[in-house]
Structure formats: structure tokens, C-alpha cells
Amino acid sequence: MTPIVLGIDIGGTNTVFGIVDEHGACLADGTIPTRAQEPVEHFLPRLFDATEHLLEPFAATHALKSVGIGAPNANYYTGTVEHPPNLNWQGVTPLAASIRERFGVPTALTNDANAAALGEGLYGAARGMKNFMVITLGTGLGSGIVVNGDVLYGADGFAGELGHVTASGVQGASNLMLTGRQCGCGRRGCLETYVSATGICRTAFELVAELSTETVMASGVRAFTFETLSAAELARLAHSGDALANEAFKRTGTVLGVSMANAVAAFSPEAIIFFGGLANAGDLILRPTQAAFDAHVLTIFKGTTKLMFSALMSSNAAVLGASALAWKEVA
Amino acid sequence: MTPIVLGIDIGGTNTVFGIVDEHGACLADGTIPTRAQEPVEHFLPRLFDATEHLLEPFAATHALKSVGIGAPNANYYTGTVEHPPNLNWQGVTPLAASIRERFGVPTALTNDANAAALGEGLYGAARGMKNFMVITLGTGLGSGIVVNGDVLYGADGFAGELGHVTASGVQGASNLMLTGRQCGCGRRGCLETYVSATGICRTAFELVAELSTETVMASGVRAFTFETLSAAELARLAHSGDALANEAFKRTGTVLGVSMANAVAAFSPEAIIFFGGLANAGDLILRPTQAAFDAHVLTIFKGTTKLMFSALMSSNAAVLGASALAWKEVA
């Protein structure tokens, strides 16, 4: 019987899952709509049906060893999903216990950024590293931080939320208010309001207000509403020479680079690995990030931390991340 | 033979050392001037003379198990002191090796904030905790961060420098410059330029410029030069009702509280423990810190992290911290 694990990633729109072997090969995968408005009691039977159907052809030849799940607001310690902001799951859901009961194998749960970090460590750009960070640049900014070979969970299981470290800061001692953009968390100035697929669109709209009318009229951004603009559209415009779009990448990368220099002072990782929608822009985002990082990192850390892209961006990274968590449970 | 360790703390002004038993009792201690302008080749013989003299009476009845050292710019991994900014020690000094050779026992080296964290964990306010932070508020701001029971050293041994995380921040995407106070590290806006025994004096001088002439004339701060002002003098003034001095504590605590809320998003510790000159001000600093912390900490972390003072402030904490490192080496 060949050992396999089941990796599941629950997103706000889709839930993806796959069967992964010990070498990181995805033998089969599938997707169901998450239906965010649906209570978890309706979601679970659909998930069980779909994953059991996927596993069926492997029953005679392969042995399911464990299940790993990436989910929003997931607590590794308790195996629960707690008050997810983008899902209509009430209160605290004991998701790992429900799945463990159904499949009869060890089951673990963590958030998507931590799963991405585990995947990167087992199969990707961080193989062999014991101290590294994965930054996911999607709708928000997530972070999976690995310290001494283990994901940083902290005292309560929720550590590593760098997206909600304030980037705009306390403006000196003279100004006691937190300034900056409003964040979904209820505060202002959080890093993810500047640096994420959403944040760069906010910056593009700020630039429409700030730059000269000529620059704005010459920019393709004027054809977009906030609904239709995306990081991918901005990248397309920037590649075609659009000055406003290029400035949006420059400013976003600068905030990211300074923030990562701060993170290095705290964590001193071997590498910081970028992943997700905004990372797909490649050099457009990495060049200004690296420049700001080099300019602001403390002297003692200069040259020690590499900024790089995920090695899993073209593959089913979310499933691989969840499967890395699963393999860790049976290691 | 009763087991003992030798704890040494090398400061910019004085080097203190002590003999500590397994229960954390300091059986004997001593001090020599560090003489910052002196090369390490002159310092070491003086340190050996003084510590051997201290150990002599214990030779027949006690067994020296190990030596622990707290020192500036100390690298735990390599046992070296690297380019210390306040000592005239050239380049990289293999301090742990020199001391190991002299005493013939395991010898370890870390910076003073990490030693303080180990001391707090073994003997102080963090006993039984596996995730906590110690913030030392002296000339600068140091941090010792414990993750899963171990000090966070990162990839290169220098992790945990929260004093050099920018507090003044990148001011939104519209302003790409780091703003804020100049720091000794060559950058601007570092946390320790606001929150430290020195930082609060800078804030007091900023307030002299900012507040009304009446407030300034009514303040005892007008009697001080920047040379003679200290956190202790400011605390004395604040206790006597000085409005400017009280405002200095309020602003300093606010920056500290917001910064600690950010640190909790990253680390999710059980407790943050304050230590050092500025912490001696007690409620004057803790009250505004707690208020800003409560207002700015992410909802999911509310109520999980305690802010508290070191339990070792009245004792020989630096020696106890270094001795905790020493005991860890023989554990």
C-alpha cells in the first residue's frame, strides 16, 4: 500500500483538495465551490462526498495516512476555525475533529499562509532552510513564519499576522494617532492595506488623485472602476509603459521592502518568499522591494536574507501546502 | 561538590559577574569597569583575575559547570562579539572560546536582552511560559523573544532586534521616505529612538519646543540640559505633577503600546515583560502603554497577552540572566 495524504485548502470562493504522495506528486485533485454564505453543516457533506469520490480509486492500492487543511482563521493548536470573517460559519468550528472522525486518520488544520510555508519548506524554495518566511500577497497579506524548523504559532495558535502590523506607523511622538488606510480588522495603517493585490489597487486610485491630470489621462487605469481593476491588470498596464501603473508598483514595493527590513530585525530569516496574486507581477514588484529592503535593512543583517519568489507558483500550491501539514502529522 | 555557574554581563560602563547555584541564588558577585576605550586584549586579563579571585573560595566545595555571558552584539551561534558599537573591540572577538579555554567548561554568549529573557524564564516573571518577550528599556531598546521555549536567534544569531523596527513608519504610499528620529544604526524612526531611557528624554526636549511657553516655564525640565536629564529625573518630575514630564511618559507609553500590539500580531506571546531604566517608572509608563496596547491590538489577540514588569528588577538581573544561559548549556 503506497502511503498518501489528503490536502484541503478552503478559500473564500473555492475549496481545492488533492491526493499527494511522499514525493510531493499530486495524484488527483478536485474543487468545490465553498459557498461562503452557507453554514458549515451544509459545506461538510459536500466536502466529504467530493473527497471520498476522489479517494475511491486509490482504496485498493494506497493507504491514506493523514489529512491536512488550510483554512482562514484556523487554529493549529485546537484544530478549530474561529469566527472566519469571509465565511458564514458561526463561532468556533471543530473542523479537524469532524474530518478526523470521518476519515479515521490524524488531521491537522492551519491557516493558508502557514500551510504555504510548510509546502515551501517541504517541496519548494525553502527546502533545507530552518528559518524563513512566506508572504502571501492575495486579497490580504498573510505570513507563515518558520523558526528553527517549526511554524511560529505563538501562545494561542494565531501568531504570524504580519499583514496587521502597522506600516504607516505612529507618526513620531508628536502624533499619537495611528494614521493610514482603514483596514478590515478595524484599525488603520495595516501593512495589507498597502501591500496586497487589493492594496496596490488602492494605491493606483490614490495616484489618480495625486498625479498630474496629464499623467492620469495618459494612463490605462482611467478605464477601470475599483471593481474591475486588479493587480494583474495593473501589471499588464505597467509592462506596456503606463507611468501611473509603474508608480503603483514602485510605491507598493517600497512599503513591502521597508516592512521586510523590519521583519528581518525581528526574525533574521534565511529567505523571505513571496507568493500569490501580486507576486505574479515578478520583477515589477520585486525590483522596488529589493531596493527599499537593501536601503533599510540593519547593517548587521545586510546580505543575510534573500528575497525570492515561491517555487510552487505554477503548481497546485495550496494543496501541496495542506499536504505538507498532513505529512508533518505522521512524521 | 555543589554545582555552580559563573554569569558575566558586559556593559558599556561596567562588567558585573556572579556565582549562581541551581536555585538561582547568587553566592558571590563582583564588578570591574569595562573601560570601553580599551582593546579586548587588555579587558580579558582583568576579567580573568577578578572572576578567578571570586571563584577561589568555592574551589574545594563547589564545581563550576559552565559560564554564561551577556554582551553587546553577541552572536550565540558563533560565540563571538561582532563590531560592538560602544566598545573599542576591533572586528569579531571569539569571546566564548577565550573564556572556555581559560575555565575548561562549556561557555555560551548572547546579547543582554536574550540573557534577560532566559533569566526571566528560569527565575522570574515568565516561569512556566513557553512564548514570551522581554523588552529592556535602557540606553536603547533590546528584546529577548522566546518561541516554543527557546530564544529566537534566527538564521544568523542576531534575531530579535525590535529596537530597530521602525515605529514612525512609512507614511502611507504617498511618502516613500522613512521619517522620524535619527538612530545610531544609521536609519530613521527606529523604535528605540522613541522608547528607551534616552528616547523619553528626546521626547521631553521635543515637548519643550512644542508646548506653550507657560507649560514649559512651569516645568522642572527647563532646569536640565540633555546631558543631565534622565528617565529617572523625568519620573521624579512627573510624580510631582509636572505636566510636561507627564506628557512625555504618555507619548512614550503610547508608542510602546502600539509597537507591542504589532509585536503581538507577529509573535502572540503569553506576556511582554518590561525591564530596565525606563521600566523603573512603573505605572507612569505602564498605564499609557496598556491603554494604547488595548486600543490597537488585533481583536483575535485581545486579552491573550499580559504586559508586566520584570520580577528581577531589584536583584542582580544581568548576572542571573547570564547564569540562566550557563545552566541551559549544561541542561
Side-chain angles (χ1 to χ4, degrees):
Chain A
M1 300 286 272
T2 311
I4 50 171
V5 298
L6 176 62
I8 302 171
D9 181 76
I10 301 171
T13 309
N14 288 309
T15 294
V16 297
F17 41 84
I19 298 167
V20 180
D21 73 11
E22 284 182 296
H23 313 291
C26 191
L27 308 181
D29 58 17
T31 307
I32 57 171
T34 305
R35 294 185 191 146
Q37 74 294 347
E38 199 176 75
V40 66
E41 293 75 21
H42 296 178
F43 168 78
L44 270 183
R46 292 195 292 114
L47 178 68
F48 290 145
D49 279 359
T51 49
E52 283 168 0
H53 184 255
L54 193 75
L55 283 161
E56 225 174 68
F58 297 88
T61 51
H62 294 67
L64 182 69
K65 290 298 186 185
S66 58
V67 180
I69 310 150
N73 279 37
N75 188 321
Y76 173 78
Y77 291 144
T78 58
T80 56
V81 171
E82 309 188 6
H83 312 280
N86 304 315
L87 296 176
N88 190 25
W89 298 7
Q90 302 299 317
V92 174
T93 302
L95 189 64
S98 300
I99 292 176
R100 189 182 303 120
E101 200 174 294
R102 182 72 168 225
F103 288 102
V105 294
T107 299
L109 181 68
T110 194
N111 75 30
D112 57 344
N114 290 336
L118 289 167
E120 215 66 55
L122 195 57
Y123 312 118
R127 263 177 298 187
M129 293 185 191
K130 296 197 70 176
N131 293 277
F132 64 96
M133 299 168 46
V134 170
I135 303 288
T136 63
L137 301 165
T139 311
L141 184 151
S143 54
I145 302 170
V146 174
V147 171
N148 274 337
D150 284 317
V151 169
L152 176 73
Y153 289 114
D156 64 357
F158 288 120
E161 288 286 349
L162 296 190
H164 296 283
V165 166
T166 47
S168 63
V170 189
Q171 187 52 9
S174 315
N175 179 343
L176 303 181
M177 304 296 295
L178 269 183
T179 55
R181 296 180 184 168
Q182 287 190 319
C183 183
C185 77
R187 307 186 309 159
R188 278 180 178 271
C190 292
L191 181 59
E192 72 173 30
T193 67
Y194 298 94
V195 183
S196 60
T198 316
I200 195 170
C201 293
R202 293 172 82 164
T203 298
F205 273 63
E206 186 175 81
L207 288 168
V208 169
E210 180 190 333
L211 299 184
S212 76
T213 314
E214 289 74 23
T215 310
V216 174
M217 290 308 290
S219 169
V221 169
R222 76 188 187 292
F224 289 90
T225 67
F226 196 73
E227 285 294 306
T228 58
L229 190 63
S230 67
E233 290 289 358
L234 277 172
R236 196 180 51 75
L237 291 170
H239 278 304
S240 75
D242 190 297
L244 191 152
N246 273 292
E247 180 67 14
F249 277 101
K250 191 177 157 207
R251 294 195 180 184
T252 305
T254 302
V255 179
L256 179 56
V258 173
S259 300
M260 292 302 104
N262 281 335
V264 166
F267 291 104
S268 180
E270 280 177 73
I272 299 175
I273 297 160
F274 300 115
F275 179 83
L278 186 54
N280 293 326
D283 269 357
L284 275 176
I285 186 71
L286 190 57
R287 220 180 304 113
T289 302
Q290 186 77 57
F293 180 83
D294 291 343
H296 292 293
V297 75
L298 266 181
T299 308
I300 52 165
F301 296 116
K302 272 196 202 303
T304 62
T305 304
K306 289 184 288 288
L307 306 188
M308 57 207 297
F309 288 116
S310 166
L312 305 176
M313 279 165 75
S314 55
S315 58
N316 199 337
V319 165
L320 285 181
S323 79
L325 176 66
W327 284 119
K328 218 173 153 73
E329 291 307 296
V330 289
Chain B
M1 300 286 271
T2 310
I4 51 172
V5 297
L6 175 63
I8 302 171
D9 180 76
I10 301 171
T13 308
N14 288 309
T15 293
V16 297
F17 41 85
I19 297 167
V20 179
D21 72 11
E22 284 183 297
H23 312 293
C26 191
L27 308 181
D29 57 16
T31 306
I32 57 171
T34 304
R35 294 183 192 148
Q37 74 293 350
E38 199 176 77
V40 66
E41 294 75 24
H42 295 179
F43 168 78
L44 271 182
R46 292 197 292 114
L47 178 68
F48 290 144
D49 279 359
T51 50
E52 283 167 1
H53 184 252
L54 193 74
L55 283 162
E56 221 172 73
F58 297 89
T61 51
H62 293 68
L64 182 68
K65 290 297 187 185
S66 58
V67 180
I69 312 150
N73 280 34
N75 188 322
Y76 173 77
Y77 291 144
T78 58
T80 54
V81 171
E82 309 188 9
H83 311 281
N86 304 317
L87 296 176
N88 190 24
W89 299 7
Q90 303 298 317
V92 174
T93 302
L95 189 65
S98 300
I99 292 176
R100 189 182 305 120
E101 198 173 296
R102 181 72 170 222
F103 289 102
V105 295
T107 299
L109 180 68
T110 194
N111 74 33
D112 57 344
N114 289 336
L118 289 167
E120 214 66 55
L122 195 58
Y123 312 119
R127 263 178 297 187
M129 292 186 191
K130 296 198 70 177
N131 294 276
F132 63 96
M133 299 167 47
V134 170
I135 304 289
T136 63
L137 302 165
T139 311
L141 184 151
S143 54
I145 301 171
V146 174
V147 171
N148 275 338
D150 284 315
V151 169
L152 175 73
Y153 289 113
D156 64 356
F158 287 120
E161 288 287 350
L162 296 190
H164 297 283
V165 166
T166 46
S168 63
V170 189
Q171 186 56 8
S174 315
N175 179 341
L176 303 181
M177 303 297 295
L178 268 183
T179 56
R181 296 180 183 169
Q182 287 190 319
C183 183
C185 77
R187 306 184 310 156
R188 278 181 177 270
C190 291
L191 181 58
E192 73 172 30
T193 67
Y194 299 93
V195 183
S196 60
T198 317
I200 195 170
C201 293
R202 293 171 82 162
T203 298
F205 273 65
E206 185 175 81
L207 287 168
V208 169
E210 180 190 333
L211 299 183
S212 75
T213 313
E214 288 74 25
T215 311
V216 175
M217 289 308 290
S219 169
V221 170
R222 77 188 185 292
F224 289 89
T225 67
F226 196 74
E227 285 292 306
T228 58
L229 190 63
S230 67
E233 290 290 359
L234 277 172
R236 197 180 51 75
L237 291 170
H239 278 304
S240 75
D242 190 296
L244 191 153
N246 273 292
E247 181 66 16
F249 277 101
K250 190 177 157 207
R251 294 194 180 184
T252 305
T254 301
V255 179
L256 179 57
V258 173
S259 299
M260 293 301 105
N262 281 334
V264 166
F267 292 104
S268 180
E270 281 178 72
I272 299 174
I273 297 160
F274 300 115
F275 180 83
L278 187 55
N280 292 328
D283 269 357
L284 275 178
I285 186 71
L286 190 58
R287 218 180 306 113
T289 301
Q290 185 78 55
F293 180 82
D294 291 343
H296 292 292
V297 75
L298 264 181
T299 308
I300 52 166
F301 297 115
K302 271 195 201 306
T304 62
T305 304
K306 291 184 287 287
L307 306 188
M308 57 207 298
F309 288 116
S310 166
L312 305 175
M313 279 166 73
S314 54
S315 58
N316 200 337
V319 165
L320 285 180
S323 79
L325 176 65
W327 283 118
K328 218 174 155 72
E329 291 306 296
V330 289

